[in-house]
Amino acid sequence: MTTALKIGDVYDGRSCSTPLPTEIIPFLASYNLIPQLLSQSIIESAIAPITCTRAEISHALEQFYQHWDLTTQQKIQDWCLRYGLNQEQLELFATRKLRVEKFKQATWGHQLESYFLKYKRHFDKVIYSLIRTEHRGTANELFFRINEGEQSFPELAREYSQGPEANTNGIVGPVELGAINPNFAQLLSTSQEGVVQAPVAFGDSWIIVRVEKFIAAQLDDFMRQRLLQENFEKWFQQQLSQLSPEEKIWMGINSKPAQAEEAA
């Protein structure tokens, strides 16, 4: 590996076009630190224009000092000397997490409502009861018993269901619809709460389903943070796709064409 890699200089929390010193590349490679350096360099380049107020910097420094138990000015100076940081670099280091969050908000914050509405169905949750068996005849018999009130859904799930739901009286969830097999999610989303669906074939099993409750997703603070993070991770993957072939090798990204992969 050579310095043609052009990894940004990120020692001081800022990214620039200066390549790393030749002698440090083998050292980083020997400890498998090139992927982390590349990742951080991408992020540092993105947040370089992001600034913080003096109040934000002071608060970040207070948290930083507390985290590292830097309770005196002497300890702070010793820490900076040990890691070769001046005051400006220390502030950049301490505010990095905040600047990343501000970058997320500035880049995608205005899109959250439309993004949420577009994918809301995937975030909605459902609680349902499930019985699955390999035999169609058994499924039909169990469906009949439930409908006729001969036995309850939980009782039959415990006795007959052939999945982990047998240990929870057949109850599954709450689980997001987007995390469920699309065909099964469609079955659930078109069902009425409390209505036992007739047995249907699903994979190698026959299943009986009853939706217990739908839980609509809300665009609350937790969801906003989640959506910001999802957009950030998508952006980061896009940045990785633009790396050089050598850098992709270090990141473990397979850049072979699909046809080549199939032939391999």
Side-chain angles (χ1 to χ4, degrees):
M1 185 171 178
T2 69
T3 53
L5 194 60
K6 295 289 184 181
I7 302 175
D9 183 355
V10 294
Y11 307 128
D12 61 355
R14 293 167 294 184
S15 178
C16 67
S17 59
T18 303
L20 288 172
T22 304
E23 63 273 12
I24 202 172
I25 298 297
F27 173 79
L28 294 173
S30 67
Y31 286 94
N32 196 29
L33 294 175
I34 297 296
Q36 291 92 323
L37 184 65
L38 286 169
S39 298
Q40 298 308 315
S41 182
I42 290 171
I43 296 173
E44 291 296 341
S45 295
I47 68 175
I50 304 297
T51 60
C52 297
T53 65
R54 288 312 309 177
E56 289 173 332
I57 294 174
S58 296
H59 181 65
L61 286 172
E62 289 178 7
Q63 292 183 315
F64 180 81
Y65 296 153
Q66 183 178 5
H67 176 77
W68 290 99
D69 193 30
L70 304 178
T71 55
T72 66
Q73 191 62 37
Q74 186 61 51
K75 285 186 176 182
I76 295 172
Q77 292 177 359
D78 291 344
W79 194 95
C80 290
L81 182 63
R82 179 179 181 182
Y83 294 104
L85 300 179
N86 59 33
Q87 183 62 31
E88 180 185 1
Q89 294 165 343
L90 177 62
E91 291 178 1
L92 288 171
F93 191 47
T95 60
R96 186 179 188 279
K97 182 177 180 181
L98 174 60
R99 288 184 291 122
V100 169
E101 293 304 318
K102 294 180 77 169
F103 168 73
K104 294 178 187 177
Q105 187 63 44
T107 308
W108 300 287
H110 64 287
Q111 304 173 357
L112 291 187
E113 290 191 13
S114 59
Y115 184 86
F116 173 75
L117 291 175
K118 181 178 180 180
Y119 295 102
K120 181 180 180 301
R121 181 178 176 277
H122 296 277
F123 304 132
D124 289 340
K125 296 181 180 180
V126 61
I127 301 174
Y128 60 94
S129 292
L130 173 68
I131 297 175
R132 50 182 152 184
T133 175
E134 296 177 354
H135 307 291
R136 181 177 182 177
T138 301
N140 288 331
E141 174 64 21
L142 298 181
F143 176 69
F144 174 81
R145 293 188 198 177
I146 295 171
N147 271 353
E148 293 300 314
E150 294 182 5
Q151 289 180 275
S152 69
F153 204 119
E155 180 182 1
L156 293 174
R158 287 195 305 271
E159 185 175 353
Y160 291 97
S161 196
Q162 297 174 339
E165 65 280 349
N167 299 319
T168 57
N169 294 329
I171 294 291
V172 180
V175 59
E176 290 186 353
L177 288 170
I180 302 174
N181 176 286
N183 292 332
F184 189 44
Q186 179 65 21
L187 171 64
L188 293 174
S189 62
T190 55
S191 300
Q192 293 183 352
E193 291 184 4
V195 177
V196 180
Q197 300 298 311
V200 294
F202 197 82
D204 296 329
S205 302
W206 285 83
I207 63 173
I208 305 171
V209 174
R210 180 177 68 195
V211 170
E212 305 297 344
K213 186 178 182 180
F214 287 110
I215 305 172
Q218 302 292 327
L219 188 57
D220 52 18
D221 290 342
F222 177 83
M223 180 61 71
R224 288 180 180 276
Q225 290 301 314
R226 172 181 169 178
L227 298 184
L228 285 174
Q229 183 63 23
E230 287 186 2
N231 278 281
F232 179 75
E233 290 175 0
K234 289 180 181 178
W235 165 84
F236 184 72
Q237 292 303 315
Q238 292 172 351
Q239 304 309 302
L240 292 181
S241 69
Q242 299 174 23
L243 293 175
S244 70
E246 293 84 0
E247 292 169 331
K248 287 182 179 180
I249 291 174
W250 278 110
M251 295 299 294
I253 300 173
N254 192 341
S255 58
K256 293 191 299 181
Q259 291 181 345
E261 292 183 9
E262 293 174 0

